[in-house]
Amino acid sequence: MVMVMVMAMSSLLPPSLSFHPPKPPQKTNSIYAQKNSFSRRLVLLTGSAPFTFFFSHLSLFIPISNAQTKSSSLLSDIANTKSWFQFYGDGFSIRVPPEFEDLTEPEDYNAGLSLYGDKAKPKKFAARFASSDGSEVLSVIIRPSNQLKITFLEAKDITDLGSLKEAAKIFVPAGSTLYSGRSIKIKEDEGFRTYYFYEFARDEQHVALVAAVNSGKAFIAGATAPESKWTNDGLKLRSAAVSMTVL
C-alpha cells in the first residue's frame, strides 16, 4: 500500500523525471511578496523546529538539528491568496495562482462515469494547473484512505494515518530530502480538522504538499517547480498548496 501512495505522490511531479533546469525565472509580481497569514478561520501549528529526513528504500533516518534549513516559519512564508481564482472540486477547494492554466482535460470530469458507470476508473488528478511554460504545477489527487494505510475503520482525520512523522513515509517519496513538516489544525463547525504540510526536494524538483482526510478519502495538494525557480516562486506555490480546504 505504501508503494501505491509513493507512485501517487510521484504523479504530483511533472511527467518527466529527467528534470533539466529551465530558463532563468522572471521576477514575480509583487502580490506574491505579501506575507499575510491564512484567510482560514483559525490555525494552530504544532511540531518542532524544521528538520531534515533522508529516505532510502522506504527506510527512515531522522537526524534532527536545530540548524536553519531552507524553510523558515510556515506562516511567515504564506501569501494572501484571497484575490486568486478559487477552484471547487469534489469535496475540496483550492486557490490557483494567477496566469496558471487548467490542465484537467474535459473528459476527466464526467466522461468516465457516463461510459463505464460504477466501474469508472478514478481520475488521476482531481485538479491540475500549470504555469504557461509548464515548469510549475499545482495538482490535487484524491485516494481512499485505506489505500494508504490498511484499516477496517473509516479514517475521519489525517491523524488516523499516524503522526506527522509517521505519515511522512506515506506522503513523501523515497529518496526525498524533507526540509520541513508541520501539523495545521483548522477550526470547523464540528471541531478541528488536521492538515499535514511537507516541503521537500526530489530529483531537482522542490515540492510543497498538503494532505487531509475526510470521510475515508485522502486529499493531497502538491505544488512543484524546479529548484532553480523556487527562490522566486516558492512563496506563490507554497501558498497555493496550503490554500487547499476540505469541504
Side-chain angles (χ1 to χ4, degrees):
M1 293 301 178
V2 173
M3 290 303 298
V4 171
M5 198 57 214
V6 168
M7 294 175 65
M9 292 304 100
S10 298
S11 69
L12 290 171
L13 302 174
S16 173
L17 292 181
S18 58
F19 302 113
H20 299 288
K23 296 178 181 180
Q26 300 296 318
K27 185 176 180 181
T28 56
N29 191 294
S30 60
I31 187 173
Y32 302 140
Q34 299 178 22
K35 293 194 175 182
N36 297 329
S37 59
F38 305 115
S39 61
R40 293 175 178 170
R41 296 167 291 284
L42 175 63
V43 179
L44 301 176
L45 295 178
T46 63
S48 59
F51 44 82
T52 302
F53 288 167
F54 295 94
F55 291 85
S56 176
H57 304 295
L58 296 180
S59 297
L60 186 60
F61 302 87
I62 312 176
I64 299 178
S65 171
N66 290 327
Q68 291 293 322
T69 66
K70 289 184 179 180
S71 297
S72 58
S73 170
L74 178 60
L75 284 178
S76 67
D77 286 336
I78 297 298
N80 186 340
T81 61
K82 265 190 170 182
S83 63
W84 297 3
F85 168 70
Q86 187 170 19
F87 174 85
Y88 285 90
D90 184 12
F92 72 94
S93 70
I94 193 166
R95 297 282 182 174
V96 181
E99 300 181 3
F100 267 43
E101 301 173 359
D102 189 348
L103 299 184
T104 307
E105 298 181 5
E107 59 265 26
D108 284 350
Y109 291 104
N110 297 310
L113 292 176
S114 61
L115 291 175
Y116 301 105
D118 293 339
K119 295 183 179 180
K121 294 182 179 180
K123 293 183 294 184
K124 185 175 182 180
F125 298 105
R128 190 163 175 84
F129 303 87
S131 58
S132 58
D133 64 1
S135 66
E136 300 176 1
V137 178
L138 173 66
S139 303
V140 178
I141 62 176
I142 304 173
R143 295 290 183 270
S145 59
N146 59 11
Q147 286 187 2
L148 316 186
K149 182 177 180 180
I150 299 175
T151 176
F152 295 103
L153 301 176
E154 180 181 88
K156 299 183 181 301
D157 191 77
I158 198 168
T159 53
D160 294 334
L161 302 182
S163 66
L164 180 71
K165 289 184 179 181
E166 292 167 343
K169 289 183 282 187
I170 298 174
F171 296 111
V172 181
S176 300
T177 299
L178 182 59
Y179 298 130
S180 181
R182 291 288 185 272
S183 178
I184 308 169
K185 290 188 180 292
I186 306 298
K187 182 68 171 66
E188 296 184 342
D189 292 340
E190 298 180 358
F192 287 89
R193 183 179 305 281
T194 304
Y195 293 73
Y196 285 168
F197 168 85
Y198 302 99
E199 190 165 321
F200 58 91
R202 178 174 183 259
D203 295 322
E204 299 182 11
Q205 289 283 300
H206 198 119
V207 182
L209 182 148
V210 172
V213 168
N214 185 36
S215 300
K217 294 181 180 180
F219 298 79
I220 306 106
T224 181
E227 284 282 9
S228 59
K229 282 197 168 186
W230 197 265
T231 299
N232 284 345
D233 293 347
L235 175 66
K236 170 183 65 178
L237 296 168
R238 185 185 302 111
S239 302
V242 171
S243 74
M244 184 187 73
T245 300
V246 173
L247 304 177

